Amino acid sequence: QDIEKIESASLHAREVIKKLLVFARQMPPEKTQVNLDQVVEETLDFFEARGAEIGIEVECSLSRDLPEITADPAQLNQVLVNLVVNALQAMPEGGKLTVRTRACENDVSLIVEDTGTGMSEDVQEQIFVPFFTTKDVGEGTGLGLPVVHGIVTSHGGSIQVESKLGRGTRFEIRLPVEGSQSVKENG
């Protein structure tokens, strides 16, 4: 029984360390040409049934004309998983999760929007701080959004957050199309 506890604690510690390394940009992205729509479709397949089980409608609106970007598909998947998991957890009474992609002039956007509990301004100011969490002990590490921030930054992108208490939250991630492979490699 003790060995099982040690094994479980070790696996948890490994996950925390992996996330910290991504946040600290010590794990370089393995970049290739990526279609963001494809990443979204593959990731959301996993969540649609889960959403239905807990009374959450999942709506996916893909632009279908996205240019490819130079990115690490596994890291983009991690970004989307973190945002979707947070959105689902913010809607304990059910609601609607909307994931959209669109092409702008020099970048592509990934928008994840929920109709959940929303965040106060105080909370919004701290969401990218490592280990900050509003979840109960054992529920979250406080590394999900800092990891999202680290990945997006390492891809030369940006994140915008809009949230209102009781109304929901909207994340918009923009990733560059032109010259995305020459983004500060040493940054």
Side-chain angles (χ1 to χ4, degrees):
Q1 204 172 4
D2 287 343
I3 289 173
E4 283 175 19
K5 285 180 184 173
I6 291 167
E7 183 180 19
S8 173
S10 299
L11 292 172
H12 180 71
R14 182 177 71 183
E15 289 308 306
V16 169
I17 289 166
K18 271 189 197 170
K19 288 177 180 177
L20 280 171
L21 288 171
V22 169
F23 180 73
R25 298 197 213 139
Q26 294 301 309
M27 288 179 72
E30 293 181 20
K31 293 182 177 178
T32 178
Q33 289 301 108
V34 177
N35 182 306
L36 189 57
D37 281 344
Q38 196 174 340
V39 172
V40 170
E41 282 182 322
E42 289 168 4
T43 306
L44 280 190
D45 277 353
F46 178 75
F47 285 106
E48 277 180 286
R50 170 98 179 98
E53 281 172 21
I54 55 177
I56 294 171
E57 179 191 347
V58 178
E59 183 182 295
C60 184
S61 174
L62 304 180
S63 113
R64 299 290 176 204
D65 61 352
L66 290 183
E68 287 194 333
I69 57 173
T70 303
D72 181 325
Q75 288 191 359
L76 293 186
N77 172 273
Q78 193 175 2
V79 164
L80 186 55
V81 166
N82 280 328
L83 293 178
V84 168
V85 165
N86 281 358
L88 296 180
Q89 289 175 340
M91 297 185 282
E93 310 297 316
K96 183 175 181 180
L97 169 71
T98 308
V99 179
R100 294 194 303 271
T101 60
R102 66 177 185 214
C104 302
E105 283 181 31
N106 297 316
D107 52 34
V108 295
S109 287
L110 169 66
I111 298 153
V112 178
E113 200 166 357
D114 67 62
T115 59
T117 53
M119 296 179 278
S120 69
E121 284 186 27
D122 288 348
V123 169
Q124 285 182 64
E125 286 172 13
Q126 299 182 76
I127 57 174
F128 298 122
V129 174
F131 303 111
F132 172 79
T133 183
T134 57
K135 295 174 186 155
D136 293 335
V137 173
E139 292 291 310
T141 59
L143 288 171
L145 290 175
V147 163
V148 166
H149 187 271
I151 291 171
V152 171
T153 304
S154 75
H155 283 76
S158 65
I159 306 177
Q160 276 188 306
V161 187
E162 293 169 28
S163 188
K164 289 203 168 46
L165 277 173
R167 302 273 301 278
T169 301
R170 178 184 190 273
F171 281 88
E172 180 169 357
I173 289 167
R174 291 184 163 209
L175 299 165
V177 175
E178 292 295 334
S180 51
Q181 66 270 39
S182 63
V183 170
K184 300 178 231 159
E185 292 296 334
N186 303 324

